[in-house]
Amino acid sequence: MITSLWTGLLHNKAKAVEKVEEKSTVTRCFCKYPLKFIIPKKVGCSSKTDAVWIYTLSYGGGIVSGDCISVGLSVGDGCTAAMTTQASTKVYKSVGSKCSEQILEAGIGRDALLAFIPDPVTCYSTARYSQKQVFRVFPESNLVVVDWVTSGRHESGEKWDFESYKSINHIYLKDDDPLFIDSVLLDQMSGKSISDRMQDYQAIAMVIILGPKLKHIQDLLRAEVKQMMSGKFHSPTVNQRYQMTTESKHVQSKPALLASCSSFGPKGIGVVVRIAATTTESIYVFLRHNLASLEPFLGAQPYR
């Protein structure tokens, strides 16, 4: 079921993806200004893929101070759905102490797949933003979640200049058993500015992959991260230390992209990857490469 909103008040809306004549189909959809859903009949070049794509669109081009947007989605048994955006989610400057909010609640049925693959959140200077994403799954459900944020309008000189950013991701098994609980908070109240703490990194991201259908993608992602990061932090030899000292002007002190990978849940049924990068584009490249294997399920490559 998909629920959306407005500015200032909360209005419930509904949306569901269910099987109709053996095809994943949107059977119920409702939205209200300033949020709109676009559901193209065809995405990519594969007409045989059984998947529904849902694009979220903000009429104002972003989230205004004080807005609260609530979205609910139900993906029925055996269905496949991808939810994404047309561009980054812009969070405009806050007015007073108002905080912009966005809430997503999604239920994924047995043998179903939901790929939640938005573009990043970009908070403007002084913005206050909070989002919460709750996913309810079965052991047979399949889920991909991408959650990421940039430093802001870097080309305009804004670098981690917002007041606060909070992102909460919860995944529950049936009967509300916690499977994955995560929270990220960036604010200017910790004595040291966000920019100082982030140093040269301009974007951070988290990728969650869960479910039996996606086991091979989990394995590929683990191997990719291990290969990328191997040797990045090993202790240098005497000769390497001498070379780093004599050529320090040409040596980059930190990798341009950092990534870590770990398993979670019973028998490691889920994988979470955390990424920090000096450019937003490098994370796009990482996502395009490592999520390309979703094309047979979705009919198109994410972030292509």
Side-chain angles (χ1 to χ4, degrees):
M1 142 181 178
I2 281 193
T3 320
S4 90
L5 302 233
W6 79 100
T7 301
L9 300 173
L10 181 63
H11 299 271
N12 292 331
K13 330 301 186 266
K15 172 151 191 187
V17 178
E18 299 171 320
K19 283 286 187 180
V20 176
E21 297 181 353
E22 302 303 317
K23 292 285 291 181
S24 298
T25 306
V26 175
T27 58
R28 185 174 51 186
C29 179
F30 181 69
C31 55
K32 188 172 182 179
Y33 181 88
L35 190 66
K36 180 180 180 180
F37 300 111
I38 299 175
I39 307 169
K41 293 183 179 180
K42 183 179 179 182
V43 175
C45 57
S46 176
S47 60
K48 297 181 180 179
T49 304
D50 179 27
V52 170
W53 280 72
I54 304 161
Y55 290 81
T56 61
L57 174 66
S58 174
Y59 283 98
I63 300 177
V64 177
S65 177
D67 277 3
C68 182
I69 297 176
S70 175
V71 176
L73 170 64
S74 173
V75 183
D77 293 352
C79 294
T80 299
M83 177 172 279
T84 186
T85 53
Q86 290 189 312
S88 63
T89 298
K90 300 171 183 64
V91 182
Y92 296 119
K93 295 183 177 183
S94 62
V95 177
S97 60
K98 290 182 179 180
C99 181
S100 303
E101 296 181 71
Q102 195 158 229
I103 300 168
L104 168 69
E105 293 192 25
I108 302 96
R110 294 177 176 86
D111 199 37
L113 167 62
L114 171 63
F116 182 66
I117 46 177
D119 292 288
V121 173
T122 297
C123 295
Y124 286 23
S125 176
T126 75
R128 292 181 173 89
Y129 177 72
S130 175
Q131 67 178 26
K132 185 175 182 179
Q133 296 162 168
V134 179
F135 305 91
R136 302 186 186 278
V137 302
F138 293 91
E140 305 86 359
S141 302
N142 303 275
L143 177 65
V144 177
V145 177
V146 177
D147 183 16
W148 53 321
V149 61
T150 73
S151 63
R153 296 182 294 177
H154 189 255
E155 68 283 355
S156 299
E158 296 179 6
K159 179 182 176 183
W160 305 110
D161 202 25
F162 48 83
E163 286 297 316
S164 66
Y165 167 88
K166 185 176 184 179
S167 180
I168 297 172
N169 285 278
H170 290 177
I171 304 176
Y172 296 98
L173 281 169
K174 61 177 183 175
D175 302 324
D176 286 338
D177 292 332
L179 179 62
F180 181 86
I181 305 294
D182 183 82
S183 179
V184 172
L185 174 63
L186 300 174
D187 63 36
Q188 306 288 7
M189 305 297 291
S190 303
K192 201 173 185 181
S193 70
I194 303 173
S195 179
D196 287 342
R197 281 175 277 160
M198 288 297 183
Q199 299 183 30
D200 295 328
Y201 294 102
Q202 300 299 321
I204 57 174
M206 179 175 69
V207 182
I208 302 169
I209 300 180
L210 169 72
K213 283 185 177 180
L214 308 178
K215 182 65 168 57
H216 68 291
I217 300 179
Q218 295 178 5
D219 294 340
L220 290 173
L221 197 50
R222 286 192 193 95
E224 176 75 12
V225 171
K226 183 178 180 180
Q227 181 179 4
M228 285 176 55
M229 301 311 298
S230 62
K232 294 286 186 181
F233 301 106
H234 71 282
S235 299
T237 64
V238 174
N239 290 337
Q240 287 173 329
R241 285 198 295 267
Y242 174 78
Q243 184 178 3
M244 290 170 65
T245 302
T246 56
E247 300 179 4
S248 58
K249 293 183 180 181
H250 306 287
V251 174
Q252 189 174 20
S253 59
K254 301 180 186 67
L257 187 144
L258 293 172
S260 67
C261 182
S262 57
S263 301
F264 66 88
K267 299 180 181 179
I269 62 172
V271 164
V272 57
V273 178
R274 302 181 190 276
I275 310 159
T278 55
T279 67
T280 303
E281 180 56 32
S282 61
I283 296 185
Y284 270 116
V285 171
F286 180 93
L287 294 173
R288 280 195 294 267
H289 174 67
N290 288 285
L291 298 182
S293 297
L294 287 172
E295 184 174 8
F297 300 105
L298 304 180
Q301 292 183 19
Y303 302 106
R304 186 173 63 180

